[in-house]
Amino acid sequence: MNNIKVALAGQPNCGKSTIFNLVSGIEQHIANYPGVTVDKKIGYFKYENNKIQMVDLPGTYSFSSYSLEERVAKNFILDESPDVIVNVIDASNIKRNLYLTFQLLEIGIPVVVVLNMMDVAKRRDIEIDSKKISQMLNCPVVEASGAKGLGGKDIMKNIVATAKNKDNYQEFKINYDELEPHINNIEEKISNINLVQNSRWLAIKTLEGDSTVIERIKKYKSDIEDFTKKEENSFHERLDKDPVSFLASYRYDSADIIYHKAVKEKNKDNQTLTQKVDKIILNRFLAIPILLFFMFMVYQISIVWGYKITDYTWPILAAFKNLVIDILPEANFTDVPIITDFGIWMVNSANALMNYLPIFFILFALIAIMEDVGYMPRMAFILDRVFKKFGLHGQSTLPLVLGGAMVGGCAVPGVMSTKGIADDRARMATIFSVPYMNCLAKVPFYTLILGAFFKPDMAIMMFFISTVTLFIAMIVAKLITSTILKTRETAPFLMELPPYHTPTFKGVIIRASQRVWVYIKKVVTIVLAVAIILFAMLQFPGLSDESKVKFDNKSNQVLNSFDTKVKSSVYYEEFNTKEKVSALLNYYDTYRTKRMTATSQDAAKSVDEDFLLKNKTFYKYIKPKRDKEARKINKELRKLSSKRKAILRQIKNEKVENSILGMTGRAIEPLTQFAGFDWKINVAFLSSFAARESAVATLGSLYENNKADNMRAEEAMALNSGYTPLHATAIIIFMLLTPPCIATMIVVKMQTNSYKWMLFAIFFPIGLGVVLSSLVFTLGNIFSWSGFEAMTYFYISIVLLTVIIALFPQKSINWDGGIK
Amino acid sequence: MNLEINSLAILKKGQKAKIKKLHAKGKLLHKLLDMGFVSNAQIEVIREAPLFDPMQLKLHNYNLTIRRSEANLVEIEEL
């Protein structure tokens, strides 16, 4: 077996990924390059008697060191010295693609050129003489079409043949005429150093001012920079040209020569389909409505319809939960084993996240389609001007929409989709802005609060809530780009608008699955770890001995009253001990939950059968039918069940109150009192960090009144909490600003590659939330605003601030140059 | 400002020009060169974005978009 290491290189939009998918099959690995967030895709496969490892380098227009992608690609070539470089070229746009080919050829590693998208070229009546190109470039040229699945075998054959013949490889040289003597001088200067790379290539890179290469040479020749400078100056004096521009022009000229000799375009003047479509999609008046329509559709299909799919997937998760509950030890009346509590807690936390998988899968598939089609850069083109004002980028549109630019997105895919933003500063700012959007899981919380305190103004309040976040995100973006992100690398806005392409089914599915898998692997594991910590913080130190006795007495009372009521029954001996009653009660409760989750008649029937099989004696109390005695027991059981639930809830509340988390909630009360938050709200916010949904659950359970079992959480909260609508406004403002769940923070860590930034993404919004809600609450108290007034003033100030920032001229960009 | 120097930023939809010189440095210069802004290359302005900035160009038979602030650094000769 021979091992062959292959690097796959090509310009963006040349169809590199489809070629990679074509030859590498489904088994590919996706990872980050160490220290950077650029994807590293590796495919392993066998061909004839060779083991091939193919690394998909990031798409680059060139091989200098001026972008993250270029640095990553070049470092791979420098450090890992692959056996063969496969250069994918868009056959319908050969001239520009050859610019990179020349740079790859100069490296000195054998190159196989793949002319991809031959089908597109044929459709456009472009005739390509690939033999001639092969001759001129002195390397194998393979015709292929990744989208149509053509050419895979040919590529493999040529890779193997080229790798075998590696030692006889003939170097390719462009003759740079006037620059040649300078290249030779530098080559001579570095000829005796110990670098494996081709010295001519190193010399050319040095003249190009390539920092990565210069750093490496410096280790051996510390004066290389001065030496090159002299060469540059003498060249400049002679011809009034810079080597960098000269090299680029020369490569373009050489590409032009090849293009003219080997390519014939018959229908040059005909409008391509892309041009026709662009006339509509990028039309001054239609572009924005069309974009809004697409965004609405993405939102509708993934979030709204995807949420409907969870109706079908949720029973699977519920069944899993039931399975776990079945395995766990049962409760002995109000004495619930800690392992059971823990098991249910963990399954609930996992299910809350797994529930989003269908949504994510659809969302990622739609993003992949939009990327493949070529709409992404057009979206940036249309809206760049708006976002630029706030330090963001046209490419920030999609992440913000996915995060929930209106109401109900999810920050996880939003943050994940920031990957493609070329401008690093804008990318970082987008990552930190997306979590301000309103996620799906925050909606129940708003509904609860609005239902409790803002019944008459619900619609307008919801409008405030759903739109104010976008303004806040803009202000925050502006704030951090002009402060802590000020020195971050920015990229000039120079983007290709690639021709439209039909996406391949395989490519879309592979990419969507890969992203979902990343989510499952990274997020779920860490979220579960956090869930364990939260569980511990809610459990310990637990009830005091005093309370234990108190609750024991309560349960005994309840049990005794049940006992006296049923003593006269003929079946009495079937439940004459506490254990027997517990068993019966558990049987009764499980039956009710299972019946509730059964969606069809058949399912309900099978639940009945199961329970009949499980315990025939108990079954008659569940379905007493005509048995009068059993009916009486059934009635008492129902009462007993609700009384047990009430006691369990009291125990839980007291446990939470005394727990570490409860104490933390109390400990920060002095700080949060300015916003009007008591410890209960604090605990709800703290516990909702694992998943936003649990904010409602926690608040609901904290405010539930024991007597009022049929009272809804909204009413209970309005009545029992002692809050005014002004409190509610402060709570809403805090919720608007607080970071979403831990899952989002994990993806922030993934995308920024730093725990420091993750912590910033957690604590900055919390700080901002505390400050703003305190401000609104305090001012509201001073001027005795109603909750609605306070929210209105808050909204107006935020909108005004956004407009003022937008009117301010931006600071100039941080790169040099300009016509003065 | 020297009035005789024209920059790419002043071109309107449908206008064509030839690149004379790049006034950018460092990163932007490299990026411009890599995208094909070399001397004597022909440029055509296809359209402006709906909000008038950035602009879409045709260069070496492909489409690209550039903000006016960057286009300002490309010296051209109108055709």
Side-chain angles (χ1 to χ4, degrees):
Chain A
M1 276 278 196
N2 292 318
N3 286 320
I4 303 177
K5 198 191 266 182
V6 181
L8 192 65
Q11 296 197 339
N13 313 309
C14 68
K16 206 157 49 73
S17 303
T18 59
I19 292 291
F20 183 73
N21 291 338
L22 176 71
V23 292
S24 76
I26 310 248
E27 344 87 63
Q28 343 175 319
H29 299 252
I30 185 163
N32 276 348
Y33 281 93
V36 286
T37 55
V38 177
D39 270 349
K40 179 183 196 170
K41 275 200 281 176
I42 307 176
Y44 297 92
F45 44 100
K46 279 186 192 139
Y47 181 78
E48 285 166 356
N49 217 7
N50 303 283
K51 256 199 217 159
I52 295 173
Q53 180 200 359
M54 185 178 272
V55 179
D56 188 8
L57 298 180
T60 54
Y61 289 101
S62 162
F63 240 59
S64 41
S65 289
Y66 283 88
S67 76
L68 199 59
E69 285 77 12
E70 285 169 10
R71 272 199 293 271
V72 165
K74 196 166 50 212
N75 284 340
F76 179 82
I77 302 276
L78 285 172
D79 297 332
E80 314 252 332
S81 39
D83 301 303
V84 179
I85 298 175
V86 174
N87 173 218
V88 182
I89 284 183
D90 174 359
S92 62
N93 200 349
I94 289 185
K95 200 162 106 188
R96 185 173 50 94
N97 279 254
L98 281 173
Y99 180 72
L100 177 69
T101 310
F102 288 131
Q103 298 185 51
L104 293 172
L105 285 164
E106 280 173 344
I107 294 173
I109 295 171
V111 173
V112 174
V113 169
V114 174
L115 285 177
N116 190 22
M117 305 195 196
M118 281 304 287
D119 53 318
V120 180
K122 280 209 182 93
R123 206 172 56 223
R124 286 202 207 143
D125 278 331
I126 302 174
E127 258 176 40
I128 301 166
D129 187 345
S130 58
K131 279 202 192 107
K132 203 162 203 172
I133 299 179
S134 169
Q135 252 171 31
M136 291 170 93
L137 294 178
N138 194 19
C139 74
V141 174
V142 187
E143 295 184 10
S145 164
K148 293 244 151 77
L150 303 172
K153 267 226 174 96
D154 256 3
I155 298 172
M156 299 310 302
K157 239 190 259 166
N158 276 290
I159 289 175
V160 171
T162 311
K164 274 199 186 128
N165 206 19
K166 203 169 93 175
D167 300 329
N168 300 330
Y169 174 71
Q170 273 196 335
E171 246 174 64
F172 172 88
K173 272 187 191 173
I174 291 186
N175 187 356
Y176 289 110
D177 285 344
E178 291 101 327
L179 198 60
E180 281 300 327
H182 304 280
I183 295 174
N184 288 336
N185 283 348
I186 298 176
E187 226 184 312
E188 226 164 80
K189 167 99 181 155
I190 59 174
S191 60
N192 56 349
I193 66 171
N194 203 10
L195 282 172
V196 286
Q197 282 80 24
N198 180 314
S199 60
R200 180 177 163 89
W201 181 64
L202 292 174
I204 293 171
K205 287 272 120 188
T206 314
L207 272 172
E208 276 185 289
D210 189 306
S211 50
T212 318
V213 168
I214 291 174
E215 281 310 309
R216 281 172 200 243
I217 297 174
K218 248 189 183 167
K219 283 185 199 141
Y220 306 94
K221 300 272 174 199
S222 51
D223 60 338
I224 185 73
E225 268 174 306
D226 295 331
F227 187 82
T228 319
K229 192 93 218 149
K230 265 181 220 147
E231 295 292 331
E232 259 184 71
N233 287 343
S234 77
F235 178 70
H236 190 89
E237 262 165 45
R238 225 155 32 98
L239 293 162
D240 190 29
K241 274 180 184 157
D242 295 320
V244 187
S245 312
F246 183 81
L247 283 163
S249 301
Y250 230 90
R251 286 181 188 135
Y252 266 101
D253 290 346
S254 312
D256 209 40
I257 294 169
I258 292 184
Y259 171 80
H260 278 292
K261 288 200 171 155
V263 182
K264 272 196 197 103
E265 276 188 66
K266 285 181 183 163
N267 271 334
K268 227 178 168 177
D269 298 323
N270 272 14
Q271 271 205 339
T272 60
L273 186 65
T274 298
Q275 283 167 327
K276 285 180 198 156
V277 176
D278 267 348
K279 265 203 174 132
I280 301 164
I281 298 262
L282 298 181
N283 176 284
R284 169 148 295 147
F285 304 103
L286 294 178
I288 291 175
I290 290 175
L291 182 132
L292 291 178
F293 173 74
F294 281 151
M295 287 299 100
F296 175 76
M297 283 316 286
V298 168
Y299 174 77
Q300 182 73 16
I301 293 171
S302 59
I303 313 258
V304 178
W305 296 348
Y307 207 72
K308 283 191 184 139
I309 291 183
T310 60
D311 286 347
Y312 301 96
T313 53
W314 181 249
I316 303 170
L317 296 175
F320 170 65
K321 183 179 162 184
N322 283 335
L323 187 81
V324 173
I325 292 175
D326 283 346
I327 297 168
L328 293 168
E330 292 199 318
N332 186 1
F333 200 56
T334 54
D335 205 5
V336 186
I338 194 162
I339 179 80
T340 306
D341 258 348
F342 178 69
I344 295 173
W345 171 269
M346 291 309 282
V347 175
N348 277 340
S349 311
N351 276 4
L353 295 163
M354 294 305 234
N355 192 29
Y356 288 112
L357 288 187
I359 297 180
F360 286 172
F361 188 84
I362 299 174
L363 208 51
F364 291 145
L366 290 176
I367 296 174
I369 290 172
M370 287 203 292
E371 281 170 353
D372 283 2
V373 168
Y375 190 61
M376 296 296 218
R378 287 174 170 84
M379 204 153 83
F381 174 70
I382 294 167
L383 283 185
D384 180 65
R385 188 164 189 185
V386 181
F387 287 112
K388 190 178 69 174
K389 292 226 177 267
F390 299 95
L392 296 172
H393 193 277
Q395 285 169 305
S396 310
T397 320
L398 185 81
L400 289 170
V401 168
L402 295 181
M406 291 303 280
V407 188
C410 180
V412 172
V415 172
M416 278 169 95
S417 65
T418 56
K419 193 160 229 158
I421 301 177
D423 184 310
D424 194 43
R425 186 170 72 184
R427 190 178 64 86
M428 293 290 281
T430 313
I431 291 173
F432 296 124
S433 318
V434 169
Y436 290 96
M437 303 290 102
N438 278 313
C439 80
L440 211 56
K442 281 182 182 177
V443 176
F445 186 87
Y446 295 134
T447 321
L448 175 80
I449 305 262
L450 293 185
F453 298 100
F454 295 100
K455 272 262 169 66
D457 307 307
M458 226 162 154
I460 180 98
M461 281 298 282
M462 208 58 212
F463 170 78
F464 285 162
I465 289 172
S466 50
T467 50
V468 78
T469 47
L470 198 56
F471 294 111
I472 294 175
M474 291 296 140
I475 297 173
V476 169
K478 181 73 193 177
L479 190 70
I480 57 178
T481 45
S482 46
T483 53
I484 50 167
L485 293 177
K486 202 171 161 187
T487 54
R488 278 264 159 176
E489 217 176 308
T490 66
F493 187 87
L494 266 180
M495 260 188 333
E496 184 181 356
L497 297 177
Y500 291 104
H501 284 296
T502 334
T504 64
F505 183 74
K506 191 178 167 190
V508 169
I509 296 296
I510 287 180
R511 236 164 335 140
S513 326
Q514 274 171 343
R515 285 180 188 163
V516 169
W517 181 236
V518 167
Y519 173 77
I520 296 177
K521 233 176 23 190
K522 296 221 171 151
V523 175
V524 173
T525 46
I526 296 178
V527 168
L528 291 188
V530 173
I532 294 174
I533 296 169
L534 274 177
F535 180 78
M537 287 178 76
L538 279 165
Q539 286 295 316
F540 296 106
L543 294 180
S544 66
D545 291 340
E546 230 171 278
S547 309
K548 265 184 203 149
V549 174
K550 185 179 84 192
F551 286 118
D552 275 349
N553 288 341
K554 259 193 186 169
S555 355
N556 285 336
Q557 249 172 33
V558 173
L559 276 174
N560 283 338
S561 84
F562 175 76
D563 200 55
T564 38
K565 287 237 173 89
V566 298
K567 219 162 198 164
S568 57
S569 164
V570 287
Y571 299 120
Y572 182 57
E573 64 188 49
E574 279 169 19
F575 35 81
N576 57 1
T577 64
K578 188 184 172 188
E579 284 71 35
K580 281 183 190 169
V581 175
S582 292
L584 176 56
L585 195 57
N586 288 334
Y587 181 82
Y588 172 82
D589 281 344
T590 354
Y591 174 78
R592 299 243 313 213
T593 10
K594 291 230 168 134
R595 247 333 257 278
M596 231 138 43
T597 47
T599 42
S600 68
Q601 286 264 325
D602 286 345
K605 223 179 200 169
S606 90
V607 172
D608 282 0
E609 277 159 17
D610 278 353
F611 274 77
L612 186 62
L613 218 65
K614 220 163 140 189
N615 195 331
K616 215 176 165 181
T617 13
F618 283 172
Y619 190 73
K620 63 174 174 285
Y621 305 119
I622 293 172
K623 288 246 160 130
K625 296 195 176 141
R626 284 170 189 277
D627 188 337
K628 235 183 173 177
E629 284 291 312
R631 245 196 331 232
K632 199 175 133 196
I633 307 297
N634 177 280
K635 201 176 121 198
E636 291 305 321
L637 263 181
R638 195 178 307 166
K639 275 193 212 156
L640 187 63
S641 165
S642 73
K643 278 182 188 155
R644 166 162 85 161
K645 278 188 192 137
I647 296 177
L648 282 176
R649 210 152 41 220
Q650 286 169 23
I651 294 178
K652 191 182 160 197
N653 282 358
E654 208 167 310
K655 245 190 203 162
V656 170
E657 202 172 337
N658 294 325
S659 69
I660 301 174
L661 205 65
M663 288 191 282
T664 317
R666 265 187 216 291
I668 54 176
E669 238 181 15
L671 183 71
T672 58
Q673 61 168 337
F674 299 107
F677 302 165
D678 60 5
W679 69 272
K680 287 179 178 178
I681 290 288
N682 292 345
V683 169
F685 280 132
L686 288 172
S687 71
S688 73
F689 189 49
R692 272 287 161 240
E693 287 89 341
S694 54
V696 173
T698 316
L699 270 185
S701 83
L702 283 175
Y703 284 116
E704 232 160 354
N705 189 324
N706 313 327
K707 285 169 287 177
D709 257 358
N710 53 358
M711 199 189 255
R712 292 165 37 143
E714 285 96 328
E715 304 168 37
M717 194 171 169
L719 282 177
N720 304 334
S721 62
Y723 295 149
T724 61
L726 185 62
H727 282 92
T729 299
I731 292 170
I732 289 173
I733 291 174
F734 187 72
M735 191 58 154
L736 286 172
L737 289 161
T738 37
C741 57
I742 181 75
T744 307
M745 294 304 115
I746 308 299
V747 290
V748 167
K749 151 77 182 63
M750 279 159 58
Q751 295 301 320
T752 58
N753 224 317
S754 122
Y755 281 107
K756 217 177 73 194
W757 285 119
M758 182 184 87
L759 290 177
F760 171 77
I762 295 172
F763 289 107
F764 179 70
I766 292 182
L768 197 64
V770 170
V771 169
L772 285 184
S773 49
S774 302
L775 192 72
V776 170
F777 186 73
T778 313
L779 287 174
N781 266 336
I782 294 172
F783 299 105
S784 47
W785 292 335
S786 73
F788 180 67
E789 279 171 337
M791 188 69 191
T792 314
Y793 297 144
F794 174 72
Y795 187 80
I796 292 172
S797 341
I798 292 288
V799 173
L800 277 180
L801 191 58
T802 315
V803 173
I804 291 168
I805 289 177
L807 291 178
F808 257 89
Q810 340 140 214
K811 288 216 182 93
S812 63
I813 22 177
N814 64 348
W815 49 74
D816 303 331
I819 297 175
K820 295 261 159 66
Chain B
M1 193 195 277
N2 186 343
L3 287 175
E4 276 166 40
I5 294 178
N6 280 332
S7 88
L8 178 58
I10 61 154
L11 289 193
K12 291 272 171 289
K13 181 178 169 175
Q15 281 184 302
K16 289 184 185 172
K18 208 160 96 181
I19 296 175
K20 266 178 80 182
K21 206 174 172 188
L22 300 179
H23 292 262
K25 276 182 196 154
K27 187 175 176 165
L28 181 56
L29 174 66
H30 276 265
K31 184 81 187 165
L32 285 168
L33 290 171
D34 291 343
M35 298 300 272
F37 286 83
V38 290
S39 340
N40 295 325
Q42 270 206 34
I43 283 186
E44 185 186 343
V45 180
I46 303 293
R47 64 170 64 81
E48 292 153 274
L51 304 168
F52 299 95
D53 190 25
M55 57 210 284
Q56 179 187 349
L57 307 172
K58 194 169 182 180
L59 174 68
H60 296 293
N61 204 26
Y62 80 108
N63 285 292
L64 89 170
T65 145
I66 184 169
R67 280 184 188 151
R68 283 190 196 279
S69 53
E70 279 92 333
N72 220 354
L73 309 182
V74 180
E75 186 183 330
I76 49 137
E77 197 178 301
E78 273 184 76
L79 291 182

